[in-house]
Amino acid sequence: MAFALLTSVPPVFGLYTSFFPVLIYTLLGTGRHLSTGTFAVLSLMTGSAVERLVPEPLEGNLSGIEREQLDAQRVGAAAAMAFGSGALMLGMFALQLGVLATFLSEPVVKALTSGAALHVLVSQLPSLLGLPLPRQIGCFALFKTLAAVLTALPRSSPAELTVSALSLALLVPVKELNVRFRDRLPTPIPGEIVMVLLASVLCFTSSLDTRYNIQIVGLLPGGFPRPLLPNLAELPRILADSLPMALVTFAVSASLASIYADKYSYTIDSNQELFAHGVSNLISSLFSCFPNSATLATTSLLVDAGGNTQVAGLFSCMVVLSVLLWLGPFFYYLPKAVLACINISSMRQMFFQMRELPQLWRISRVDFAVWMVTWVAVVTLSVDLGLAVGVVFSMVTVVCRTQRVQCLALGLAEGTELYRPLRESHKLLQVPGLCILSYPTPLYFGTRGQFRRILEWHLGLGEGGKEAPKTDGPPDAVAEPVRVVVLDCSGVTFADAAGAREVVQLASRCRDAGIHLLLAQCNASVLGTLTQAGLLDRVTPEQLFVSVQDAAAYALERLELTGPKTCTVWV
């Protein structure tokens, strides 16, 4: 119910979204420990889109009938977004695009959820203070909301503020106790249930809704909504919102399922997860549910409570069903400020993800930069734009890192058949006239220039003709003319047309310079691309080898190269 308010729809639709999607995922999902339903990030994204598509009239003070009509339009828009995101995920399943989850890296997902938690906190401030402020949408919405709250602060309701303060004073310590003593507690303390009961009883006995104008949940309709196909005419308008929701749903659910699958030694099927969440959103939209996914907080709660299979979802469905059928009237006097406090307290785990930043800085400063850029974009712009910025920036860092690789010259380790980089502090045998190079990155249009410069540097193939080859050894080492070069392609995971043509040109330049080019450990994909580019017109099949050792042995035996009588220490 709390996340329903975050979605800008009546609370009962949060109950529907906690029933139908959970039931469907239990039947179709592969994550045994995954808890699905309402999720703060998706609720925030959906609420922003709903407020934009169905804005509240500027004059305010709607009558009861007008409020019902507005709520019905917003519920229809939210259900249409669930339908659209579900249809997109089913389309991704049909195309077997489960691999897309790998493009949403862990820093991006964690920064996204952490930044969205801040949006949730700020968006709930009007409810905490009893301020009837319209929700800000679009870029810089967080700062606009803060400015509006500070401006309207003198008009805040002391009664709402008191209820919010007491609620947070109970919920936050209980959350901390559950985390610190999770190993000693047989089951987590149900702080939210206790708070809901206490607040409802207090509001009923003290008539807070009439005496102090505290906003309450009101009547929850019993039973289930009538199945209704969402307005398909809205799909073109909500498609731009449904796509990031589908990606967030799949990314969070797949990553969370993978974490627990690794922890408890079982496997998940990412494409089946796409199908399960797609069907879950599509079918639940027929019952006026808003977009849903796996949830961080309830999944952790489920695992702590001892849930080990999807059957645990059926028990939560039974609880929600009992509320829908019988217990709904007991929530009539529940203050909406309490639901806002529940929203904020449930963000604890997302806020605390920032504690991992110092360790991330030590492990990888590139990942740290991805985390910070994504978080800043989410906070300053919006959740969907921040996600796009994070994914693009993450991809840019990957491309940039392929531009900064180091091509290594290899030498034979004494007494072994292993080839090590000459820069290492090992005794290595370097054969005069034989150059063994390892290029550890994909060969595509972005790296072809770097590849050309590196090979020219090592082989002495300057533009003005053949030059003296370079050496990775000590300064006083004598560089002998290269007669054979072995190119270790084990690190070349793929090659495009531009990269393949660069290798063909290298083969031509080596042949003109009297250098015999041998290629080792090319995978089937790379070799096929090189062949289509005309490599076999420049080299013979005898110059292709499955290992560096075989290529080096061929060079020594067939080309009459001899190794040094003593080993040289390279530092």
Side-chain angles (χ1 to χ4, degrees):
M1 291 191 295
F3 287 150
L5 294 182
L6 194 60
T7 314
S8 298
V9 297
V12 69
F13 293 94
L15 294 176
Y16 300 152
T17 309
S18 298
F19 179 79
F20 293 104
V22 178
L23 186 63
I24 296 169
Y25 183 82
T26 298
L27 301 175
L28 300 177
T30 60
R32 301 177 189 173
H33 298 83
L34 218 57
S35 175
T36 58
T38 57
F39 181 41
V41 176
L42 278 180
S43 296
L44 180 68
M45 297 172 68
T46 306
S48 298
V50 166
E51 294 276 354
R52 188 186 73 253
L53 295 171
V54 190
E56 187 165 344
L58 296 177
E59 60 271 13
N61 298 323
L62 300 178
S63 64
I65 297 178
E66 291 174 335
R67 172 59 62 181
E68 289 180 2
Q69 292 175 346
L70 180 67
D71 287 342
Q73 292 177 1
R74 290 184 168 181
V75 168
M81 277 181 273
F83 186 92
S85 61
L88 286 172
M89 282 187 280
L90 288 179
M92 293 164 63
F93 166 75
L95 298 174
Q96 296 292 288
L97 295 180
V99 69
L100 287 179
T102 59
F103 291 100
L104 290 169
S105 63
E106 182 177 328
V108 171
V109 173
K110 289 189 173 182
L112 172 73
T113 54
S114 182
L118 190 58
H119 276 279
V120 171
L121 171 62
V122 173
S123 69
Q124 296 302 291
L125 289 179
S127 298
L128 294 180
L129 301 174
L131 297 173
L133 299 176
R135 175 180 289 187
Q136 302 292 333
I137 59 176
C139 296
F140 311 109
L142 185 144
F143 304 104
K144 294 177 183 177
T145 303
L146 282 176
V149 169
L150 292 176
T151 302
L153 197 58
R155 296 187 281 110
S156 60
S157 169
E160 297 263 19
L161 183 58
T162 302
V163 170
S164 301
L166 293 175
S167 300
L168 290 175
L170 173 65
L171 291 173
V172 173
V174 168
K175 287 279 187 181
E176 193 65 28
L177 288 174
N178 284 335
V179 172
R180 293 198 176 188
F181 300 101
R182 66 170 60 187
D183 296 332
R184 302 181 185 179
L185 294 173
T187 185
I189 302 173
E192 290 86 351
I193 296 179
V194 174
M195 189 66 251
V196 165
L197 294 177
L198 289 177
S200 300
V201 171
L202 178 63
C203 185
F204 172 72
T205 57
S206 303
S207 300
L208 297 180
D209 56 323
T210 56
R211 294 173 59 186
Y212 299 103
N213 198 29
I214 286 182
Q215 298 294 313
I216 60 175
V217 168
L219 181 64
L220 292 178
F224 296 102
R226 181 170 55 90
L228 182 66
L229 186 68
N231 186 5
L232 299 183
E234 294 287 334
L235 288 181
R237 297 177 61 198
I238 57 92
L239 187 60
D241 298 297
S242 298
L243 180 58
M245 290 180 194
L247 293 177
V248 170
T249 297
F250 178 54
V252 172
S253 302
S255 60
L256 198 59
S258 298
I259 290 173
Y260 286 99
D262 293 340
K263 183 177 181 179
Y264 292 98
S265 302
Y266 64 91
T267 59
I268 64 166
D269 185 343
S270 58
N271 285 304
Q272 180 64 25
E273 288 294 298
L274 264 178
F275 179 75
H277 288 288
V279 172
S280 174
N281 277 271
L282 193 68
I283 294 181
S284 63
S285 69
L286 304 179
F287 296 92
S288 302
C289 297
F290 49 85
N292 56 85
S293 73
T295 62
L296 301 177
T298 54
T299 296
S300 176
L301 190 67
L302 175 67
V303 173
D304 291 341
N308 288 311
T309 67
Q310 295 95 320
V311 177
L314 296 179
F315 290 93
S316 66
C317 287
M318 293 171 59
V319 174
V320 175
L321 180 63
S322 65
V323 174
L324 287 170
L325 297 180
W326 303 295
L327 302 180
F330 292 97
F331 293 95
Y332 184 93
Y333 288 98
L334 175 62
K336 290 184 178 180
V338 174
L339 296 180
C341 293
I342 292 175
N343 271 335
I344 293 174
S345 65
S346 67
M347 298 295 103
R348 176 191 180 279
Q349 186 177 0
M350 298 186 190
F351 281 126
F352 279 20
Q353 290 178 142
M354 300 189 74
R355 296 189 301 182
E356 302 175 6
L357 286 178
Q359 182 185 16
L360 190 61
W361 172 265
R362 292 191 297 269
I363 296 174
S364 171
R365 296 189 180 182
V366 174
D367 285 346
F368 178 87
V370 170
W371 202 104
M372 291 304 301
V373 168
T374 305
W375 187 85
V376 170
V378 169
V379 170
T380 57
L381 301 177
S382 62
V383 175
D384 48 353
L385 289 178
L387 172 63
V389 170
V391 171
V392 171
F393 184 77
S394 178
M395 293 297 99
V396 168
T397 61
V398 173
V399 173
C400 289
R401 277 186 276 188
T402 64
Q403 305 291 316
R404 303 185 62 180
V405 299
Q406 183 181 17
C407 184
L408 300 176
L410 307 181
L412 181 63
E414 184 182 15
T416 71
E417 295 183 356
L418 301 178
Y419 287 83
R420 294 178 175 272
L422 293 178
R423 293 184 184 275
E424 293 187 5
S425 301
H426 298 283
K427 291 187 174 182
L428 301 172
L429 296 173
Q430 188 180 29
V431 180
L434 174 61
C435 181
I436 304 176
L437 300 175
S438 177
Y439 190 72
T441 193
L443 187 55
Y444 64 105
F445 66 93
T447 58
R448 59 176 296 187
Q450 178 198 49
F451 176 79
R452 183 193 311 119
R453 290 189 297 272
I454 288 176
L455 268 294
E456 287 177 351
W457 190 88
H458 279 281
L459 303 180
L461 297 176
E463 293 186 2
K466 187 173 179 180
E467 301 175 357
K470 312 300 181 188
T471 177
D472 281 336
D476 57 346
V478 178
E480 300 218 5
V482 175
R483 295 172 54 195
V484 181
V485 56
V486 177
L487 185 58
D488 177 14
C489 300
S490 58
V492 182
T493 54
F494 73 89
D496 68 357
R501 283 195 292 268
E502 196 63 46
V503 175
V504 173
Q505 292 175 11
L506 171 67
S508 298
R509 296 181 65 185
C510 286
R511 185 178 59 186
D512 296 340
I515 299 175
H516 206 66
L517 175 65
L518 306 179
L519 299 180
Q521 302 190 112
C522 288
N523 64 49
S525 174
V526 172
L527 188 57
T529 304
L530 296 178
T531 302
Q532 293 296 324
L535 178 65
L536 294 183
D537 295 336
R538 307 295 192 279
V539 301
T540 64
E542 292 183 351
Q543 294 173 251
L544 306 176
F545 295 88
V546 296
S547 70
V548 174
Q549 289 83 354
D550 292 342
Y554 174 87
L556 291 173
E557 295 177 4
R558 300 297 179 87
L559 303 179
E560 299 180 353
L561 290 173
T562 58
K565 301 303 182 184
T566 60
C567 62
T568 306
V569 180
W570 299 113
V571 181

